[in-house]
Amino acid sequence: MAESRYIHGTAPDEQARLSRLNQLLNDAALRELRIRPGDRIVDFGCGLAQLTRAMARQAGVRAVGLERSAEQIAEAVRQARSEGEADLLEMRESDVLGAAVEEASYDLAHARFVLEHVPDPLAVVRAMTRAVRPGGRIVLQDDDHDVLRIWPEPPGLRALWQAYMRTYDRLGNDPIVGRRLVALLHEAGARPVRSTWLFFGACAGEESFPAFVENLHSILEFAREAIVSAGLLGREEVDETLAQIQRVGKRPDSAFWYAVAYAEGIR
């Protein structure tokens, strides 16, 4: 079975970006997740496990996090220990496409920003469905990169963003998997019961706005080499657009609009 392929890597700069991303998204995610006391949780592709720990905190029991990267696991464990929450987390080194997880043992199987990075998302959702007990929940959160909007639009952004999406295609991954989440639940044998969006954005007048702009800039900066080496855009064009993103981010009239797709099913 082919392995999942994470385009962004696991370098310290990327880990820092992921930590900031968690700070921007986790409160909204937790509101939608509606964790119940005692929920047994397995988090597929948990990364640094910040959301995993937050879910475990609400459930009041240890959660299992599946993560293939030894670097991510080490940082996840370090963060959990530094915040006195090591007992909330059981990390297992596992690729989500070959996840060895107990069947019918969990109340909630969760995956965020995972399906866009695997060549066979349905295989992951099937494994998640097998992992939960009858009546258990499967929750998918993922990207449909085509929904990004910024105003005023930075010159060159559309071409650069399309090139970034093409880097997913080159790896056999799907940059618009978010629109398929309900269909994937159905195909995996789960009963879809809910879908929504988690808004991810702000305007220049909000304190959080620079963090959204910086997240976008970092994603595209980290992907520069993949874009250039694939011949999708030239280096000078990428760098000029990155500079334009930063300029627009400093304008008092700018706004950032994005949304994370969310879908829930029942086994």
Side-chain angles (χ1 to χ4, degrees):
M1 182 177 290
E3 289 187 347
S4 53
R5 299 174 180 179
Y6 185 62
I7 187 175
H8 304 298
T10 58
D13 284 350
E14 170 61 9
Q15 291 181 337
R17 183 189 73 82
L18 290 174
S19 290
R20 294 190 297 269
L21 182 63
N22 274 264
Q23 293 167 5
L24 293 171
L25 264 178
N26 283 0
D27 286 348
L30 289 168
R31 285 195 296 271
E32 295 297 335
L33 280 160
R34 304 171 188 174
I35 303 296
R36 296 167 293 204
D39 271 351
R40 294 163 295 173
I41 299 166
V42 58
D43 196 7
F44 280 62
C46 66
L48 300 179
Q50 291 162 320
L51 181 57
T52 319
R53 282 191 286 120
M55 291 190 288
R57 201 179 305 127
Q58 291 197 345
V61 295
R62 175 178 287 196
V64 173
L66 306 179
E67 171 57 46
R68 71 170 187 162
S69 165
E71 293 85 359
Q72 298 287 77
I73 291 172
E75 178 60 15
V77 171
R78 187 199 67 77
Q79 290 186 12
R81 287 175 176 166
S82 70
E83 297 182 27
E85 293 187 339
D87 58 344
L88 289 180
L89 188 62
E90 178 186 337
M91 294 292 293
R92 299 181 187 175
E93 187 169 352
S94 174
D95 190 279
V96 293
L97 284 170
V101 63
E102 305 89 342
E103 295 191 8
S105 298
Y106 297 92
D107 300 296
L108 170 63
H110 171 268
R112 182 171 74 178
F113 304 144
V114 170
L115 302 181
E116 64 183 298
H117 297 296
V118 297
D120 189 357
L122 181 57
V124 178
V125 183
R126 282 176 171 156
M128 295 173 70
T129 303
R130 290 194 300 269
V132 299
R133 60 173 176 77
R137 298 189 296 150
I138 305 97
V139 171
L140 311 175
Q141 301 183 57
D142 228 301
D143 284 315
D144 182 332
H145 286 295
D146 200 38
V147 303
L148 175 68
R149 299 291 184 272
I150 299 177
W151 191 261
E153 183 172 299
L157 176 62
R158 192 169 300 274
L160 178 54
W161 193 245
Q162 288 295 321
Y164 170 65
M165 291 171 64
R166 288 298 310 279
T167 65
Y168 280 74
D169 298 341
R170 298 296 176 95
L171 293 174
N173 298 336
D174 185 357
I176 58 171
V177 74
R179 67 187 69 177
R180 298 172 51 206
L181 298 185
V182 169
L184 287 166
L185 287 167
H186 173 74
E187 291 177 61
R191 177 170 59 91
V193 294
R194 192 161 68 97
S195 63
T196 188
W197 294 103
L198 275 65
F199 179 65
F200 183 75
C203 73
E206 296 177 77
E207 184 179 353
S208 61
F209 182 70
F212 289 99
V213 176
E214 180 56 32
N215 182 70
L216 174 66
H217 185 274
S218 295
I219 285 172
L220 294 172
E221 186 175 40
F222 295 160
R224 180 199 285 115
E225 292 308 316
I227 291 169
V228 173
S229 63
L232 298 169
L233 280 179
R235 187 177 302 276
E236 290 185 4
E237 189 174 356
V238 173
D239 288 344
E240 175 57 26
T241 303
L242 289 171
Q244 291 289 351
I245 290 170
Q246 291 184 318
R247 292 185 189 109
V248 169
K250 295 176 181 177
R251 291 180 54 144
D253 60 345
S254 52
F256 186 108
W257 307 82
Y258 192 74
V260 178
Y262 180 107
E264 182 174 327
I266 302 292
R267 177 175 178 178

